[in-house]
Amino acid sequence: MVELFRFIALIPLAFNNFRTPFDSEVTASDASTSGGGICVSRGLTPYGHAASLSQVRGEAPEELDLSEVLCVGLFDGIGALRVALDALGVPVCGHISVEQNVQAQRVVEANFPDCILVNDVNEVDMIKVKSWALKFTGAALVLVGAGPPCQGVSGLNCDRKGALRDCRSKLFQHVPRIVDLFKVCFPWAQVHSLTENVASMDSEDCDTMNKEFELLPWFIDAHLMSLAHRPRLYWISWELREGEGVEIYLGSEGKLPLQGQVDLVASVDEKAFLEPGCKKPDQKPFPTFTTARPSPCPMRKPAGLKDCLEHEILRWKDYHHKFPLPV
Amino acid sequence: MAEEERLSEYEGKLAGPYRTHDKKNKESGLKRGRSYEGWKSVLGEKEANLPGTRADERSVTEAEVERLIEEAEREAKKAQGSTLEPSPECSQQAKNSSFEEGSPPADELASQEFHQVARKLIEDFMAELKEGCTVGSLGGLVWDALKKIDASSCCRPRSITGSKELFPLPVGGHLTPGLPHGAFLQAMICGLNSLGGAGYKQTVERPSPAASKVLKRLERVVAESAVLEAKFTGITFESFFGTRGLDYSGEEVKLAQKVRWRNIEPSLPPQVGQLDIRDFLEDGVLHFVTHIDETLVPEVDQCLGRTPSVMVDPDQWEELAVNLVKRGLCKVVPQSQLYHVGSSPLLNGLFSVGKDEVKDGIAVGRLIMNLKPWNAISQTLSGDIGTLPLITNMGALYLHDNEVILTSSEDLRCFFYLFKVPPEWEKFMGFGRAVPRCLVPPNAEETNWYLTGQVLPMGYLNSVGIAQHIHRCVIKRAIGSLRGLGCTVQELRRDRTFTCFPNLFRIYLDNFDQLQRVDKGLATMLAGTPSDLVTQVREYYDSQGLPRHPKKSVEQALQAEVQGAWLDGRRGTLCAKPSKIVKYIELALETLRRGKASQRELQIIGGGFVYAAMFRRPLLASLNQIWRSIQER
């Protein structure tokens, strides 16, 4: 009863005031009925600093008839495909992240709370894709990105079984299956795919994948736009065109059945990547980054060992063989 | 131990340090319950002792927080000579406050006494109530009622900021004399004191400089309040429930009424059923509307419930059916053409709801197709539902001192029924009553013939998303066509962040609003004229045969209704429409006079007050007991 009287007394306060000045301190309070808490910002975190420099919606004009993109990440990892789309300013109407690793899922979920998480590519079936079609009716383009596991085909793995025999690497076969499901369920939209795998695979494995994807891959090494090598093959379902920073070379040297090579060239500021005080020893790009896996003994037939100098082998041992050679 | 008791005991423990006012504790630094100012000063001091950091740059690590908490607990122990258990004194205080937020006085007797007093006050007020009285005239009543409450009763533990405490604000003696609604202002201050943890004390101490500023601000708020100028309507629960009720989820809805052609005819413009819906759709919505069967749940999961009733008196049925067919809203089909689940035909219901309009002495109604059976076998098609704007998201708008908001608005008549759906829909939209004999085709082989809908129905699960999509397509084409205003406006939509662009528009089903932030001087020149955007939209509506509601048009106005809320572009404020809120205040007064309320009455009042509070979210903190009462019943 008292509450009703009190609320009536307070009702003139129930309005938004568009002229309320901003406060530099941001507060967040808990509205629980059984406890309470408040916190207040005391400065900017690096993330906050980056956000403060970002553009706010409305600072630039925007097109009204933008075609929205549905981002589908198979073997999505930490959602790099979505990050790339956001960096390009593409209007994303939804993000479906298919990833088994729970830690990676957590990263994606934390950064893109509205994404749809699926645990396993095997779970993606017609019923699921149809339900997404009913949800994302505004998608004019469905972009299926995939980075299937490469352990079974990677040249770094001397025990590799090949594209179809390794239980991890053979998951690549789901990519065309799922792309086809999207084509059936999203007949109004363009459906395109972008599949990535290591360039160190054998010609036979590359050929197997080409047949599955019904595409020839492009070879792209990131070293012209970053500090490190990252030679990869990309099966891309749309036509590539040259432009500023994009050079296309058709044909292959015969080692792998490729469509050609794409050089993505950009000026790279070392300082933007290296910690203060660090610098590259020479102009050569860093070798491809891999996960560090320390081990008391080296894996069988480590790649690159025969080409290493003695001090490099010693350093490799000092690091408990956790980095690929040469170290 | 019951969950509630355990909770209360836990809160009692926490309440201990909250209420400790001894000097040592104040000096000890971190304690639970410290106010924001307190936390700021403590963190500032502690941070100064951390090596190599600047107060405005670094963030506190988890380990540091742990250390600070441990330190604070040590200090607290030292100060109290014990653990964080409450002292006997604190315990008593905690007990007193255990009735928690917004609850009535703990003592039942006091509660009854308060009710008697409140009832007398309301009856006296009602006896003197004249026609045309406003909410502002309630000030004296509310103020008198709040004065009768035990001054020490408190809705939450009081903070311990000591001299920095803002509350209680002085209630009398320091307000500007002769203020309009002065009593209301006093009541409001009293309410704020209660929310601020200072109970209903009516202190008249000299205000601090900060309190003086607050009081001045509150004076302005009360003086400019639109709701205080709203006139009472005379509504009672009896009259309210004559036209409205609650749906299964507790939402307020209009009551279903029997359909009579003469009631619904005035709401149907000549264009109903004349526009092919497919001409207004794009992408996935177009696909699913033309392939509606793809939205059904798998056959094995399909199940038909009870057929809803066709709420039409037998003597009205023929007139209604004939006219629905004549106007293109329905057609007649044999039973074999209806969708069947198993061997049963899918049949739906019909009813109408009041439109709060009277035309030529006849109450105008809106025809509603109750498609629950079809909904039960349909999957959700999102359409553009994610773009429906929320009025309360407008809080992110910022106005500079030299700016005002100009509002333009357009409304389309009978929006849903304008659009004829593809023939594939008809089998799902049959209504559960056989058509009058006059509508059965001569020489028909089948015996059972039914009416089936031909227009976008309002009761279909996916209609809202489709309707929103239609209007967005229309506006997109309108803006992009002719003089190409494309990049000069931006859309406000729920699924996008707010925009700081100065020229905005929002689409809410049949309604289009344009909101422009413009210079005050320019606004006076523009006010009352249609904007370029609206002119272009109107031209497009006309070219497509979409009928406008000219009476509902708003042309660059400084004050206007937007999605049921009241936008004052000159003051830069947005609130619930006063004429709406006054009804809930009247219903609350009725309840207060009675001293009791049913669950659904409380739901109605609570729902209305929550809606009002959405425009000042902290006010939600004052509606706890009423919520608890609703849940407990």
Side-chain angles (χ1 to χ4, degrees), chain B residues 71-85:
Chain B
E71 204 175 298
E73 286 181 347
R74 266 202 311 278
E75 294 289 341
K77 274 183 202 171
K78 221 191 296 174
Q80 283 183 243
S82 69
T83 63
L84 283 175
E85 293 290 324

Side-chain angles (χ1 to χ4, degrees), chain A residues 240-251:
Chain A
L240 297 187
R241 288 189 190 160
E242 286 204 322
E244 194 185 339
V246 183
E247 294 164 12
I248 297 178
Y249 303 94
L250 293 172

